[in-house]
Amino acid sequence: MFFEIDRSRYGSVLALLDGRHPHEMPLQGVLTGPHRGHVYVDNPTSPGVAIVAATGVGAYFLGDPYHPRLRQHLDPFIEHTLKPREQDEIGAESFIGIVLDDRWNATLEASFAARTPVRGHYRLYRFEPGRLPIQPRLPPLPDGCRVLRIDRAMLVHPDNKMLRDDLLEFWPDTATFLAHGLGSAICHGAQVVSACFSCYALGRHHELAIRHYSGHYRHQGLATHVAIVCLLLARSTRCIAHWASDDNHPASARFAERCGFVLDQRLRYWEFDY
């Protein structure tokens, strides 16, 4: 039932959104930006249903949830097409489906009846520059650490392979990230120990992610420090930062609010183990 289409035909899928969700970053990052993902449709010339698989995030269901063949074909498609591809590309251990239209929930309930999916909600936040002081107080850095903007020299350094790998989960290459994204890192010497960077970027809109690369520096406020530095960078360049978490991570929600984000919307997701 589903056919993969190439990037030159993604415009036909945008019509299924009817102008909605312009800042759903992973979805738009695949459809209109340079970000990694795959798009599958029921009809390559005139899509009525589409599945947009954003690498490392999940699959978005678009279009007609009452298509007569969906309930028969959706689960086999996930099992035989998405599963091997995601396992090969990023070692995925589970499927995540993201619902923009609540009418899809009944279809997914029926399609996944033989599985035991977990249901939850993503919380999507938008940065409000006025909620962060002009000169915010930053947690002190450990001895020998400093904050740097992510650049090519940092990314090519052999000690920073984990940072490169994290970027390449979302971006086609580091050059594209450097051209369109932004990021800050806390380094000890040349090695990155904590980083905050754009996992998705669409014009001035950037969804941020935080990663840690050294257990030695955990619980020392580095996440807050590097996030605020990155937000100050975004504010100074007139970029609009976004943040995503889910209901199962209240600490992430508290972190977002502490850094000046406000809740924008909640989206339902379905998850089950491959």
Side-chain angles (χ1 to χ4, degrees), residues 21 59-62 96-106 108 120-122 265-270:
H21 306 286
Y60 291 85
F61 301 105
L62 308 181
I96 298 175
I98 303 167
V99 175
L100 302 176
D101 179 345
D102 285 340
R103 295 179 304 161
W104 272 89
N105 286 314
L108 301 185
H121 286 91
Y122 283 124
Q265 63 174 318
R266 296 169 77 238
L267 294 179
R268 166 81 73 174
Y269 69 82
W270 294 65

Side-chain angles (χ1 to χ4, degrees), residues 12 22 161 254 257:
S12 63
K161 180 181 183 301
R254 292 193 298 269
E257 292 162 4

Side-chain angles (χ1 to χ4, degrees), residues 81-229:
T81 301
L82 286 189
K83 174 181 175 178
R85 189 166 210 168
E86 291 191 341
Q87 288 180 332
D88 178 62
E89 290 182 346
I90 58 170
E93 298 179 351
S94 62
F95 168 80
I96 298 175
I98 303 167
V99 175
L100 302 176
D101 179 345
D102 285 340
R103 295 179 304 161
W104 272 89
N105 286 314
T107 296
L108 301 185
E109 185 84 49
S111 299
F112 303 150
R115 302 184 185 265
T116 54
V118 174
R119 303 164 184 82
H121 286 91
Y122 283 124
R123 293 171 173 255
L124 306 180
Y125 294 85
R126 184 188 69 258
F127 180 57
E128 288 288 347
R131 294 173 63 91
L132 187 68
I134 298 299
Q135 294 182 318
R137 295 182 61 183
L138 296 171
L141 290 176
D143 290 344
C145 289
R146 56 181 178 157
V147 181
L148 299 171
R149 186 165 180 172
I150 296 175
D151 60 12
R152 184 180 181 279
M154 184 184 297
L155 293 177
V156 300
H157 195 281
D159 289 345
N160 295 326
K161 180 181 183 301
M162 289 190 292
L163 173 59
R164 288 195 303 277
D165 289 346
D166 281 339
L167 287 173
L168 293 177
E169 185 172 321
F170 304 101
W171 296 85
D173 49 63
T174 57
T176 305
F177 165 77
L178 292 171
H180 300 281
L182 57 83
S184 302
I186 297 175
C187 301
H188 186 270
Q191 183 178 6
V192 173
V193 297
S194 189
C196 180
F197 57 85
S198 309
C199 50
Y200 290 95
L202 294 168
R204 294 192 302 123
H205 293 265
H206 294 253
E207 182 172 315
L208 302 182
I210 295 176
R211 298 290 186 269
H212 302 287
Y213 303 108
S214 173
H216 178 71
Y217 294 104
R218 283 191 177 275
H219 309 298
Q220 297 189 44
L222 267 62
T224 300
H225 193 120
V226 76
I228 290 177
V229 169

Side-chain angles (χ1 to χ4, degrees), residues 1-113:
M1 171 181 172
F2 292 102
F3 305 88
E4 184 173 6
I5 58 175
D6 63 38
R7 190 170 292 273
S8 66
R9 306 179 76 172
Y10 286 2
S12 63
V13 174
L14 285 170
L16 298 177
L17 288 170
D18 195 26
R20 294 167 296 169
H21 306 286
H23 301 137
E24 178 51 30
M25 303 295 287
L27 172 65
Q28 296 288 351
V30 173
L31 290 178
T32 66
H35 294 279
R36 293 182 61 194
H38 307 281
V39 178
Y40 307 88
V41 298
D42 63 321
N43 184 336
T45 58
S46 181
V49 175
I51 297 176
V52 180
T55 303
V57 175
Y60 291 85
F61 301 105
L62 308 181
D64 179 12
Y66 306 122
H67 190 292
R69 299 174 62 197
L70 258 179
R71 297 189 181 193
Q72 177 185 356
H73 292 278
L74 183 56
D75 191 70
F77 167 76
I78 292 170
E79 181 67 23
H80 300 297
T81 301
L82 286 189
K83 174 181 175 178
R85 189 166 210 168
E86 291 191 341
Q87 288 180 332
D88 178 62
E89 290 182 346
I90 58 170
E93 298 179 351
S94 62
F95 168 80
I96 298 175
I98 303 167
V99 175
L100 302 176
D101 179 345
D102 285 340
R103 295 179 304 161
W104 272 89
N105 286 314
T107 296
L108 301 185
E109 185 84 49
S111 299
F112 303 150

